[in-house]
Amino acid sequence: MSAGSSTTLWDRLKQHYGTGSGSSNHPHGGAHRASVYRKRVGEAIIEKYGLREDYPDWDERWSGVDRERAAVRDEEYALERRVGAVVREQPFLWVPLDDEPGADSDRRVLERNSIALLSNFDREPVDPRRTDWIGRHSRSRAIRESGLWNVDHADEQYDGGFLGLFADAVDDATPP
């Protein structure tokens, strides 16, 4: 999230996880055009199962799609459900950081350094992904080699000083 953003963690998680069972038109679907994470997972599924012809508009932004949006969403619904299932199966860790979003915020420091620490990109993997990890089918070399869906800082070295910030955030989240 950037400075001045009104988006909350829970809003972003809803975008990534997709719709629930209460969605009338597309239950358990989602909108990959609102989530790069969903888009990347969908691309990997398309590549793994050879579905490019079935989903010709997956990479298009709405402005680039000539056909009606509703028709495209209906065609993509099955894949959106598959993406949602993959995303919802993945665990996440949430730690509280009570500062304003921004380029130098604790949030950004933790995100940037966590990605750099966990990345296997252009280095010997310390924690290689399972052979059945769907990301191995991504078109993105950075995703395939880093083992991460968010690759914004995957090719960077981490600053070990962030581990103190991380430990403090975990302590703050842990009940006494």
Side-chain angles (χ1 to χ4, degrees), residues 81-96:
R81 283 184 59 109
R82 287 174 85 171
V83 168
V86 169
V87 169
R88 285 188 294 273
E89 288 175 4
Q90 297 175 11
F92 74 95
L93 171 67
W94 171 80
V95 292

Side-chain angles (χ1 to χ4, degrees), residues 14-103:
K14 284 190 272 185
Q15 287 176 327
H16 295 323
Y17 276 28
T19 59
S21 59
S23 173
S24 58
N25 293 338
H26 297 104
H28 300 291
H32 71 279
R33 290 176 180 88
S35 166
V36 173
Y37 181 23
R38 289 185 66 85
K39 179 180 182 284
R40 290 175 171 170
V41 171
E43 288 171 351
I45 291 170
I46 288 169
E47 292 301 313
K48 179 176 183 177
Y49 297 103
L51 302 173
R52 281 193 191 198
E53 289 182 21
D54 295 338
Y55 300 102
D57 298 318
W58 190 262
D59 291 333
E60 299 294 327
R61 302 292 299 167
W62 283 126
S63 60
V65 176
D66 293 332
R67 297 177 294 123
E68 289 187 39
R69 291 181 184 186
V72 172
R73 283 188 48 85
D74 288 345
E75 290 170 8
E76 294 173 344
Y77 175 55
L79 182 55
E80 290 283 10
R81 283 184 59 109
R82 287 174 85 171
V83 168
V86 169
V87 169
R88 285 188 294 273
E89 288 175 4
Q90 297 175 11
F92 74 95
L93 171 67
W94 171 80
V95 292
L97 288 172
D98 193 19
D99 68 340
E100 287 297 316

Side-chain angles (χ1 to χ4, degrees):
M1 289 176 265
S2 53
S5 173
S6 61
T7 302
T8 67
L9 168 66
W10 307 115
D11 291 334
R12 288 300 291 151
L13 287 175
K14 284 190 272 185
Q15 287 176 327
H16 295 323
Y17 276 28
T19 59
S21 59
S23 173
S24 58
N25 293 338
H26 297 104
H28 300 291
H32 71 279
R33 290 176 180 88
S35 166
V36 173
Y37 181 23
R38 289 185 66 85
K39 179 180 182 284
R40 290 175 171 170
V41 171
E43 288 171 351
I45 291 170
I46 288 169
E47 292 301 313
K48 179 176 183 177
Y49 297 103
L51 302 173
R52 281 193 191 198
E53 289 182 21
D54 295 338
Y55 300 102
D57 298 318
W58 190 262
D59 291 333
E60 299 294 327
R61 302 292 299 167
W62 283 126
S63 60
V65 176
D66 293 332
R67 297 177 294 123
E68 289 187 39
R69 291 181 184 186
V72 172
R73 283 188 48 85
D74 288 345
E75 290 170 8
E76 294 173 344
Y77 175 55
L79 182 55
E80 290 283 10
R81 283 184 59 109
R82 287 174 85 171
V83 168
V86 169
V87 169
R88 285 188 294 273
E89 288 175 4
Q90 297 175 11
F92 74 95
L93 171 67
W94 171 80
V95 292
L97 288 172
D98 193 19
D99 68 340
E100 287 297 316
D104 297 321
S105 69
D106 287 347
R107 297 170 190 209
R108 181 66 77 189
V109 168
L110 189 62
E111 176 185 22
R112 179 176 53 242
N113 285 286
S114 295
I115 291 169
L117 172 65
L118 297 172
S119 174
N120 293 320
F121 188 74
D122 277 346
R123 57 186 88 137
E124 187 66 32
V126 174
D127 180 23
R129 299 303 164 255
R130 296 179 359 195
T131 56
D132 64 343
W133 179 57
I134 192 74
R136 291 184 184 277
H137 299 277
S138 175
R139 290 181 224 156
S140 165
R141 175 178 167 250
I143 290 172
R144 288 190 314 270
E145 293 185 13
S146 72
L148 302 172
W149 293 107
N150 184 339
V151 294
D152 287 344
H153 306 283
D155 61 344
E156 298 174 12
Q157 296 298 314
Y158 72 95
D159 175 355
F162 97 98
L163 293 170
L165 172 65
F166 180 66
D168 290 346
V170 170
D171 287 345
D172 290 345
T174 306

